Amino acid sequence: MTAEVADNAAVAEPSRQANRLRSILAGSAGNLVESFDWFVYAAFGLYFSSIFFPAGDRTTQLLSTAAVFGVGFLARPVGAWVMGLYGDRIGRKAAMVASVSLMCLGSLMIAVCPGQAEIGVAAPAILVFARILQGISMGGEYGASATYLSEMASRKNRGFWSGIFYSTLIAGQLMAMGVLLLLTSLLSPADMQAWGWRIAFFIGGGLAIAVFWLRRGMDETPSFHARTGPKATTWGLIASHPKESLTVIGLTAGGTLSYYTYTTYIQKFLVNTSGFTKDQANLIVAGGLTVFMLVNPLIGALSDRVGRRAILLTFGVLGAALTWPILSTLAGTRDAGMAFLLVAGSLLIVACYSSVNAVVKAELFPTATRALGVALPYSLANAAFGGTAEYVALAFKQAGRETAFFTYVTVIIAGSLLVYLAMRDTRRHSRIAED
């Protein structure tokens, strides 16, 4: 009888592993689409800023558009809180299905919203509301997806899958850039500004509908099924895990600021400061993002061997030392090849944060409060530092003190470096018990 049970277990194991892989891939595909919907706004901001904010010069219009981008980030902690509790109580899968539904609604609202010339101040108001919905979605998506992938992956390759997780985020952003490049090659600048940008939001809404059905077929994680203890509460997270929550905020601050500096704001920087055309800036950023996407799984896999802390320390040291030289050199270059090397090099540094940040956060918390613990403190730091990156940068530029932004980024990364120095290596001290 024992031999028969063993044989049955051996037969069932490949099927179980196949189901696990399918679920991981389904979660990753959804993460890609949500990222696409989120970053379409940033990628097409140069084209629709005058539709919703027609007053003022180009920098003023971009500043208004960046402010709405920041509003979406302010909504992310709300989504992280609501979806984090939902994911810890009802399931990671349920939270992921709910988050993609909100993202779909936000994208379609922006796609059909008339401009300020047609409906007055209602246009920017609708834009703000749609971004709030997308912010709630993205806040909930990160915690649920990061928790889901970390729990579904085996102990020996969680770093690799953490890198894949972030690569899907980058792929979504790269896909947004790809749609931008395609549309700008097919449409005239006038058509792009008048209506062409709406196509990208329609694409995002349609893809989100497809992901909704895909996610309904995913398996729940073994860790969630094995959870014990009281239900997750906000006070329970604060009272029981203050150190872990503060660690997430600290380790995220420098990483998210540098990420949004080199992936979203850099497009405007290349046009407004370096003097490249929109098309040149799009190609430079797309090339850098491609490199970024490819190296994240490799660095994540390296963390499975050398530990997460060593990778984070690499980001902290290089980021603090090289941010000012990279941005100041990029500001003065007029060579597209040099600009690409600088952007790609900066993103290689950022990859030492992005590749492991999802698994590090998940490994800090116990199962019962993991989704909330990953999502809420991360979203608070993301809103404070990532969501404001473009606005702060443009405000410094408008004040004639653009280099002060370089110093600001450097100081925040240095602050995160102190956290990396103080924290334990989560690979060796992981609180994900199930393999």
Side-chain angles (χ1 to χ4, degrees):
M1 189 69 177
T2 303
E4 182 179 348
V5 171
D7 289 341
N8 289 337
V11 171
E13 180 62 18
S15 177
R16 186 177 73 88
Q17 293 297 333
N19 287 337
R20 172 181 287 193
L21 180 59
R22 279 197 298 270
S23 294
I24 289 175
L25 294 177
S28 298
N31 200 42
L32 182 151
V33 171
E34 288 236 16
S35 176
F36 172 83
D37 283 357
W38 179 255
F39 282 110
V40 156
Y41 182 96
F44 285 80
L46 286 167
Y47 297 93
F48 67 75
S49 58
S50 61
I51 300 294
F52 292 95
F53 307 102
D57 59 16
R58 170 54 60 86
T59 298
T60 301
Q61 292 171 351
L62 289 175
L63 199 59
S64 298
T65 306
V68 179
F69 190 69
V71 168
F73 274 90
L74 293 178
R76 288 178 70 158
V78 177
W81 174 54
V82 173
M83 295 294 182
L85 287 172
Y86 190 61
D88 281 330
R89 294 181 180 184
I90 308 302
R92 322 311 192 198
K93 170 186 169 182
M96 292 166 74
V97 170
S99 70
V100 79
S101 302
L102 288 178
M103 185 62 78
C104 175
L105 179 59
S107 292
L108 293 178
M109 285 180 65
I110 296 174
V112 301
C113 181
Q116 191 171 119
E118 288 77 30
I119 60 174
V121 295
I126 292 172
L127 181 68
V128 169
F129 180 69
R131 283 303 286 179
I132 289 174
L133 289 181
Q134 290 188 320
I136 292 173
S137 168
M138 200 65 177
E141 170 68 19
Y142 179 88
S145 292
T147 300
Y148 185 86
L149 265 69
S150 296
E151 290 180 346
M152 289 297 280
S154 64
R155 184 176 292 108
K156 67 180 181 180
N157 57 20
R158 284 192 183 119
F160 168 75
W161 284 110
S162 177
I164 291 289
F165 170 81
Y166 225 91
S167 286
T168 61
L169 286 174
I170 303 158
Q173 185 174 0
L174 195 58
M175 199 164 77
M177 292 294 298
V179 171
L180 175 60
L181 293 173
L182 177 63
L183 290 178
T184 54
S185 70
L186 296 176
L187 302 176
S188 68
D191 286 340
M192 276 295 300
Q193 187 160 323
W195 55 269
W197 59 269
R198 297 181 185 275
I199 296 173
F201 288 97
F202 276 118
I203 292 172
L207 290 173
I209 293 173
V211 168
F212 172 84
W213 293 108
L214 184 66
R215 284 187 164 178
R216 286 170 60 90
M218 296 190 313
D219 292 334
E220 188 53 86
T221 70
S223 293
F224 181 77
H225 286 308
R227 74 195 189 284
T228 57
K231 290 184 178 179
T233 64
T234 308
W235 175 246
L237 174 68
I238 296 171
S240 301
H241 307 287
K243 180 180 178 181
E244 291 86 350
S245 298
L246 290 173
T247 297
V248 170
I249 291 174
L251 71 88
T252 299
T256 191
L257 175 58
S258 60
Y259 174 81
Y260 281 99
T261 295
Y262 290 118
T263 62
T264 58
Y265 173 63
I266 204 68
Q267 180 197 29
K268 286 80 174 176
F269 183 87
L270 289 169
V271 174
N272 275 359
T273 299
S274 301
F276 291 101
T277 67
K278 292 178 185 178
D279 290 342
Q280 286 176 319
N282 292 338
L283 287 171
I284 291 167
V285 175
L289 286 173
T290 300
V291 174
F292 191 36
M293 178 182 66
L294 294 175
V295 300
N296 266 269
L298 301 178
I299 298 177
L302 181 62
S303 79
D304 288 323
R305 294 178 174 271
V306 303
R308 324 294 187 213
R309 184 169 173 268
I311 302 298
L312 289 172
L313 286 170
T314 302
F315 160 71
V317 171
L318 294 179
L322 298 178
T323 291
W324 219 101
I326 287 174
L327 288 175
S328 59
T329 304
L330 191 59
T333 187
R334 298 296 180 268
D335 181 80
M338 176 59 71
F340 163 73
L341 291 176
L342 289 168
V343 172
S346 66
L347 288 173
L348 285 174
I349 296 172
V350 177
C352 292
Y353 157 80
S354 60
S355 59
V356 299
N357 88 98
V359 70
V360 166
K361 296 175 179 69
E363 289 173 335
L364 283 169
F365 295 94
T367 302
T369 190
R370 184 170 294 135
L372 181 63
V374 169
L376 184 55
Y378 167 80
S379 289
L380 290 171
N382 209 28
F385 298 100
T388 59
E390 278 199 16
Y391 190 85
V392 171
L394 288 167
F396 275 126
K397 180 174 179 60
Q398 194 172 54
R401 301 183 60 199
E402 187 168 32
T403 57
F405 178 69
F406 308 168
T407 303
Y408 167 69
V409 177
T410 299
V411 170
I412 300 301
I413 294 175
S416 288
L417 175 58
L418 296 178
V419 176
Y420 308 148
L421 288 167
M423 67 184 289
R424 298 196 300 178
D425 186 354
T426 60
R427 182 177 70 95
R428 298 179 181 178
H429 304 279
S430 176
R431 302 188 73 171
I432 303 178
E434 296 75 21
D435 190 5

